[in-house]
Amino acid sequence: MMKEIIQACDLVIFGTKGDLARKKLFPALYKLEKFKKIHPNTRIIGAGRANWTQEEYIKTVKESINNFLKEEINENIWNKFSLRLSFFNIDVYEETQFLKLKKILDQTQNISIYYCAVPPNTFNSIFTGLGKVNLNSLPSRIIIEKPLGVCLQTCKKINDQISKYFLEPQIFRIDHYLGKESILNLLSLRFANSLFFNNWSNKTIDHIQITVSEEVGIENRWNYFDGMGQTRDMVQNHLLQILTILAMNQPKNILPENIRNEKIKVLRALQTINLENINKKTVRGQYISGQINGIKVPGYLEEFGANPKSQTETFVSIKADIKNEQWFGVPFYLRTGKRLAHKYSEIVIVFKKMSINLFKEYYYDLSPNKLIIRLDPNENIKINFLKKSPGLSEIYKLKNDSIQLNSSIKTTNNQIDAYERLLLEVMKGVQSLFVCREEVEMAWKWIDPIIESWGKTNKNTLYLYKAGTWGPIKSDEIIINDGRYWNKFD
Ligand code: BG6
């Protein structure tokens, strides 16, 4: 039985003035207050460099919640929430200042949780500062978030730095996709339903498509994004998480370590993409100006702060193969891009076609069944199938149809944001929804040769696409060459 107790915590948010804290963490914490999920004695300490008074700090937090909460703030809930808040002015490069922090924390009653909502180049000063004054001992917990490096080597460096002061069970590495309701539902779908469980391998599945299509561009993050590209920004983490959840074997039980071990096995089994197969297995693109929802948007190279010679990809599609018994011969086609026609994420499981067509005279080519899992927006699950065309005339005439397996569970006020769930899980001390060291390093190990190979092939392998389209046409080839098609957005 897993721990489900919400403990009293001192949650220290380093980077309390930053985007992540303002846009995601404070609204999420407020919602947890609303759902009565925070222990009465829990305190939230914003840490950053500012000479704010308590009043000024509380005002800033309220502004953030007002701006980024997708519902009206409720004054009663806010009043209760605001009592938990305090500000701590700290220069994290000054080790002595962590001693002052120590005096504020109530380590006898409350579990200290440190959220590093700061750029990764600040991580190490925080780890060291906490470690030097013994704020790192159990049961304290620490949260870090991507980018965890830009390659295996830099990722290992961060992991080495953190593990000097914290043990793996204390470290919560966030991939916010793991906190999404729809991603969690994949586990239930696969492992709670024999219908799917027994039909989840190369015996019945032809191929799997994973699409994460974004309308947004780089949102004024040129420096960050240009050093990353869509592959590091989205595939290394979010898309590979989806892939491993889809492809993992049934774990022994739902203990975090067993789930993670099964995911790691999938990452290990991914076939390497290198200079030999890079052009067959990947297509990358970059957006030029176009229109999204009728509004003209600039091209990537025209974004604020852009280097007009950048070769960074804003779109990528990859054919991934898993070398194990269960998935041999079943390609996983991944694609994701910025400034595409619509924001949506979807998984399409395409089953093998019927080997015998009894209805040949009426329907030449029996189309395969598809399980379509819409993750975002309006999550839902549907199955495409063939049925008898209704009517008296032709008794064996067929027709394509689909059946919806669930309706959207979201209602505006009770919509659960990934950060709400993840913060709650950290407060409970349960690590299932967080990424362990080996997982993140194995993901980089697969991504590195892809990026290195692009650097070695000639430059025209970066295909341009107009903002507001579905990416470079070339991306279709990756799947069409195998006699398959991307599922159409509807
Ligand atoms: C982030 C990336 O991790 O995920 C962003 O850095 C991206 O570039 C975002 O836009 C997408 O998240 P979501 O939840 O909107 O799909």
Side-chain angles (χ1 to χ4, degrees):
M1 186 70 180
M2 276 198 266
K3 276 184 284 177
E4 280 293 338
I5 304 154
I6 301 164
Q7 293 143 325
C9 311
D10 277 347
L11 172 63
V12 184
I13 303 181
F14 291 98
T16 192
K17 295 180 344 184
D19 263 15
L20 177 62
R22 289 184 312 113
K23 292 184 179 166
K24 296 288 183 188
L25 305 185
F26 288 119
L29 288 164
Y30 166 90
K31 286 284 284 292
L32 289 178
E33 184 77 79
K34 172 179 160 182
F35 295 137
K36 300 192 171 52
K37 293 287 187 191
I38 309 186
H39 190 282
N41 299 338
T42 287
R43 301 182 302 171
I44 300 166
I45 300 147
R49 282 178 82 171
N51 283 319
W52 277 333
T53 60
Q54 174 74 356
E55 289 68 37
E56 282 167 335
Y57 180 60
I58 291 196
K59 192 168 157 252
T60 331
V61 174
K62 191 169 187 186
E63 269 166 23
S64 306
I65 298 180
N66 256 327
N67 289 340
F68 299 106
L69 189 73
K70 293 177 191 124
E71 63 190 53
E72 280 290 297
I73 205 163
N74 171 305
E75 286 304 316
N76 289 334
I77 300 170
W78 163 253
N79 289 340
K80 199 168 159 205
F81 180 69
S82 65
L83 293 177
R84 302 180 185 276
L85 297 170
S86 62
F87 180 70
F88 180 69
N89 182 2
I90 182 171
D91 176 354
V92 294
Y93 296 103
E94 287 282 333
E95 278 176 23
T96 50
Q97 302 203 359
F98 284 86
L99 267 179
K100 285 197 255 159
L101 177 64
K102 191 170 185 174
K103 289 195 186 121
I104 303 177
L105 301 181
D106 177 3
Q107 291 195 292
T108 52
Q109 301 292 326
N110 283 10
I111 294 175
S112 304
I113 300 179
Y114 314 108
Y115 200 128
C116 301
V118 293
N121 57 5
T122 314
F123 283 173
N124 198 33
S125 339
I126 298 176
F127 308 152
T128 315
L130 293 169
K132 288 278 161 67
V133 299
N134 264 328
L135 278 176
N136 57 331
S137 42
L138 276 162
S140 71
R141 297 167 195 156
I142 186 155
I143 309 173
I144 52 174
E145 181 153 5
K146 67 179 274 261
L148 298 181
V150 292
C151 63
L152 179 59
Q153 198 194 354
T154 46
C155 174
K156 275 190 168 161
K157 189 170 166 201
I158 296 175
N159 282 334
D160 287 345
Q161 289 169 338
I162 197 167
S163 60
K164 219 164 142 193
Y165 298 103
F166 292 88
L167 301 167
E168 201 53 29
Q170 293 176 279
I171 306 171
F172 290 73
R173 293 181 191 79
I174 287 198
D175 179 318
H176 77 276
Y177 268 50
L178 292 183
K180 292 187 184 226
E181 188 80 14
S182 53
I183 304 276
L184 266 171
N185 194 33
L186 293 175
L187 285 176
S188 327
L189 188 79
R190 286 199 53 200
F191 299 118
N193 297 289
S194 68
L195 173 65
F196 299 119
F197 181 75
N198 291 322
N199 286 295
W200 211 264
S201 74
N202 53 6
K203 292 197 179 66
T204 48
I205 293 176
D206 176 75
H207 74 279
I208 295 184
Q209 304 177 10
I210 304 173
T211 300
V212 178
S213 155
E214 301 189 90
E215 276 179 19
V216 292
I218 53 162
E219 299 179 298
N220 293 327
R221 297 182 301 164
W222 172 272
N223 282 340
Y224 161 78
F225 190 85
D226 200 56
M228 298 294 281
Q230 193 73 349
T231 313
R232 291 180 171 115
D233 187 46
M234 294 293 290
V235 182
Q236 189 273 343
N237 34 72
H238 309 323
L239 274 86
L240 280 185
Q241 282 298 332
I242 299 176
L243 181 145
T244 50
I245 293 172
L246 287 174
M248 71 191 222
N249 266 321
Q250 186 179 26
K252 262 194 282 181
N253 51 41
I254 47 171
L255 285 177
E257 56 275 25
N258 291 328
I259 295 181
R260 287 162 160 195
N261 284 344
E262 290 306 330
K263 285 161 72 188
I264 290 168
K265 284 187 205 159
V266 175
L267 291 168
R268 282 187 189 287
L270 278 173
Q271 190 187 54
T272 310
I273 298 181
N274 53 26
L275 212 47
E276 275 172 31
N277 52 11
I278 188 86
N279 286 330
K280 269 210 220 135
K281 296 210 167 206
T282 70
V283 172
R284 61 189 183 126
Q286 192 183 72
Y287 62 86
I288 54 173
S289 65
Q291 288 210 348
I292 298 208
N293 298 325
I295 297 166
K296 192 166 188 301
V297 296
Y300 180 65
L301 300 183
E302 296 143 13
E303 295 280 5
F304 181 74
N307 159 10
K309 293 208 168 105
S310 171
Q311 290 286 306
T312 298
E313 83 287 355
T314 59
F315 175 97
V316 59
S317 56
I318 301 181
K319 177 181 172 184
D321 291 294
I322 300 173
K323 292 177 301 176
N324 64 20
E325 221 185 302
Q326 186 177 2
W327 295 113
F328 183 78
V330 179
F332 284 65
Y333 298 96
L334 319 178
R335 63 175 170 163
T336 177
K338 303 248 184 275
R339 288 286 190 226
L340 298 183
H342 290 285
K343 176 172 172 57
Y344 87 104
S345 312
E346 190 170 84
I347 297 164
V348 183
I349 316 281
V350 182
F351 290 91
K352 286 191 193 298
K353 283 185 180 181
M354 288 291 296
S355 49
I356 296 171
N357 183 359
L358 285 185
F359 305 90
K360 221 185 239 139
E361 272 178 56
Y362 305 89
Y363 210 94
Y364 179 68
D365 194 16
L366 295 181
S367 39
N369 292 125
K370 287 182 189 166
L371 173 66
I372 302 174
I373 307 170
R374 175 65 62 85
L375 303 170
D376 193 32
N378 307 326
E379 65 199 60
N380 68 50
I381 303 174
K382 75 179 183 190
I383 293 184
N384 285 4
F385 66 106
L386 283 164
K387 66 171 200 184
K388 179 190 170 303
S389 182
L392 274 180
S393 50
E394 307 209 43
I395 55 172
Y396 294 124
K397 199 171 165 204
L398 301 181
K399 171 176 187 289
N400 272 298
D401 205 346
S402 67
I403 185 165
Q404 197 90 10
L405 294 191
N406 70 334
S407 53
S408 171
I409 51 157
K410 287 184 179 177
T411 60
T412 12
N413 273 0
N414 286 330
Q415 198 169 320
I416 299 164
D417 180 80
Y419 281 91
E420 289 157 36
R421 188 188 314 280
L422 295 173
L423 282 163
L424 182 61
E425 293 300 298
V426 184
M427 290 181 197
K428 290 190 214 159
V430 179
Q431 284 190 311
S432 320
L433 304 185
F434 300 85
V435 186
C436 68
R437 176 171 186 156
E438 198 178 349
E439 222 175 330
V440 67
E441 291 185 0
M442 287 306 300
W444 277 122
K445 202 168 168 197
W446 187 68
I447 291 290
D448 277 359
I450 298 180
I451 294 174
E452 278 162 26
S453 306
W454 283 332
K456 290 179 190 155
T457 53
N458 69 42
K459 283 189 180 168
N460 53 27
T461 55
L462 182 71
Y463 297 92
L464 301 180
Y465 62 96
K466 241 180 152 173
T469 63
W470 291 112
I473 308 217
K474 185 83 183 167
S475 148
D476 293 347
E477 281 178 22
I478 215 168
I479 188 162
I480 288 176
N481 289 346
D482 292 343
R484 298 167 173 130
Y485 303 90
W486 289 119
N487 194 51
K488 282 218 164 54
F489 170 81
D490 62 18

